[in-house]
Amino acid sequence: MQNSEAMALSAALLAVAGELTQRIHDGVVARGFEGVRPAHGFAFARLAPGGATVTELAAHLGVTKQAASQLVDEIVRKGYAERRPHPGDARARLVVLTERGWDCTRAAEEAAAEAVRAWAAVTGEAEVRKLGRLLGRIAPYGPVRPAW
Amino acid sequence: MQNSEAMALSAALLAVAGELTQRIHDGVVARGFEGVRPAHGFAFARLAPGGATVTELAAHLGVTKQAASQLVDEIVRKGYAERRPHPGDARARLVVLTERGWDCTRAAEEAAAEAVRAWAAVTGEAEVRKLGRLLGRIAPYGPVRPAW
DNA sequence: GGATAATGGTCAACCTGCTTGACTACCTTG
DNA sequence: CAAGGTAGTCAAGCAGGTTGACCATTATCC
């Protein structure tokens, strides 16, 4: 495969990813959840199944635990999560989603589904499924399984 | 298509995009170009075919012209581009790539090709081509044609 | 069991990249 | 040629991240 072909593929992939991020964000805002940024979505995904500690969250987001702690401050202040004592480790605190956090997560799901439906309208649903299978095989850390 | 399926597709897409960005960046650094960030790559792509003004670059990157101007300062200081007087408009300045800027752009191409070849090793080259076609159809602003 | 090291979390200071606002120089339109 | 629009820069401020230091708790190892 030629370099220029790889570059075209890369450019298309990054463009689609950027637009998807934007559309999900817009969709979430349109559903009434303000003051939430794309980074929060990645955090919610890690928090959803039973919560996580700040350190775990930091590892998942690829930032320092200080940055993760600040992010948690923010989503707690905005009512999307809360800090609870950690069962079995008095040093740690378990960060869990509130009901509002779950609502926001579901809104993100709907927004993502909406964006993907727009693709299906262009290429057909079968092709979109094919896309999903291809990306799932290519994705780092093996096939991606959403945690929510 | 179910919401959870759309979410899995989205997660895989964003994961792949993130990893691709990382791999291209690493590849560029490994080829001896330090102090460049992913955002510079998007700038280079706009500058490559004949240069661009700061305002055009700002529009392409989706930032203010002040931010674009700062970015140009940086890549000029690092030797990747230079400001030339604009033919036909004394207010404007044409930002063009230097030879080193072109070298860096080619290095990014090679790094992208390398990353894509890694995918072909997993799914086969035919599948990767299929992926490129699908993404090209889905990408915003119609099929993406790289400018370099 | 108790000293020592490792881990979870926070506070504080700083850095970087971007934004808003104000301004100058030049172009365009009547 | 006057009046308004456009290209670009300067300056100040903000937001989100980093590094470094620190305390409380837990794990390790004679």
Side-chain angles (χ1 to χ4, degrees):
Chain A
M1 189 175 302
Q2 305 206 343
N3 282 3
S4 62
E5 202 174 343
M7 210 68 211
L9 200 172
S10 300
L13 176 59
L14 296 179
V16 170
E19 210 215 359
L20 176 62
T21 302
Q22 185 66 50
R23 278 177 185 265
I24 293 179
H25 180 251
D26 290 348
V28 168
V29 170
R31 283 168 177 80
F33 300 92
E34 293 182 21
V36 44
R37 287 171 292 121
H40 296 154
F42 291 92
F44 288 6
R46 182 65 183 80
L47 297 181
T53 66
V54 164
T55 299
E56 289 166 346
L57 194 54
H60 181 248
L61 297 177
V63 298
T64 60
K65 55 185 185 175
Q66 291 93 327
S69 187
Q70 287 175 20
L71 190 147
V72 169
D73 284 343
E74 191 183 345
I75 63 179
V76 165
R77 179 161 32 84
K78 290 176 178 167
Y80 295 108
E82 59 186 14
R83 296 187 213 248
R84 311 190 54 193
H86 192 288
D89 190 339
R91 296 170 301 177
R93 314 231 250 148
L94 197 59
V95 182
V96 297
L97 292 182
T98 60
E99 201 47 56
R100 180 168 169 78
W102 281 104
D103 289 345
C104 185
T105 300
R106 279 185 286 266
E109 272 189 46
E110 289 170 22
E114 208 168 78
V116 170
R117 269 195 298 274
W119 300 345
V122 176
T123 69
E125 185 161 335
E127 298 285 44
V128 172
R129 278 185 207 280
K130 175 98 183 166
L131 178 66
R133 279 196 301 275
L134 280 171
L135 288 171
R137 250 179 292 159
I138 289 171
Y141 311 120
V144 172
R145 51 183 159 84
W148 51 96
Chain B
M1 189 176 300
Q2 304 206 343
N3 282 2
S4 63
E5 201 175 344
M7 211 67 211
L9 201 173
S10 300
L13 177 58
L14 296 179
V16 170
E19 209 213 359
L20 175 61
T21 301
Q22 186 66 48
R23 278 177 184 264
I24 293 178
H25 181 251
D26 290 348
V28 168
V29 170
R31 284 169 177 78
F33 300 91
E34 292 183 19
V36 302
R37 287 171 291 122
H40 295 154
F42 291 91
F44 287 7
R46 182 64 183 80
L47 296 180
T53 67
V54 163
T55 300
E56 288 166 347
L57 195 54
H60 181 247
L61 297 178
V63 299
T64 61
K65 55 185 184 175
Q66 291 91 326
S69 187
Q70 287 176 16
L71 190 146
V72 169
D73 284 344
E74 191 183 345
I75 62 178
V76 165
R77 179 162 33 84
K78 290 175 178 169
Y80 295 108
E82 58 185 15
R83 295 187 215 248
R84 311 190 53 192
H86 193 289
D89 191 339
R91 295 171 303 179
R93 314 229 252 148
L94 198 59
V95 182
V96 298
L97 291 182
T98 61
E99 200 47 55
R100 180 170 170 77
W102 281 104
D103 289 345
C104 185
T105 301
R106 279 186 285 267
E109 272 189 46
E110 288 171 24
E114 208 168 78
V116 170
R117 268 196 298 273
W119 300 346
V122 176
T123 69
E125 186 162 334
E127 298 286 45
V128 173
R129 278 185 209 281
K130 175 99 184 164
L131 178 66
R133 278 196 301 275
L134 281 171
L135 288 171
R137 251 179 291 159
I138 289 172
Y141 312 121
V144 172
R145 54 183 155 83
W148 51 94

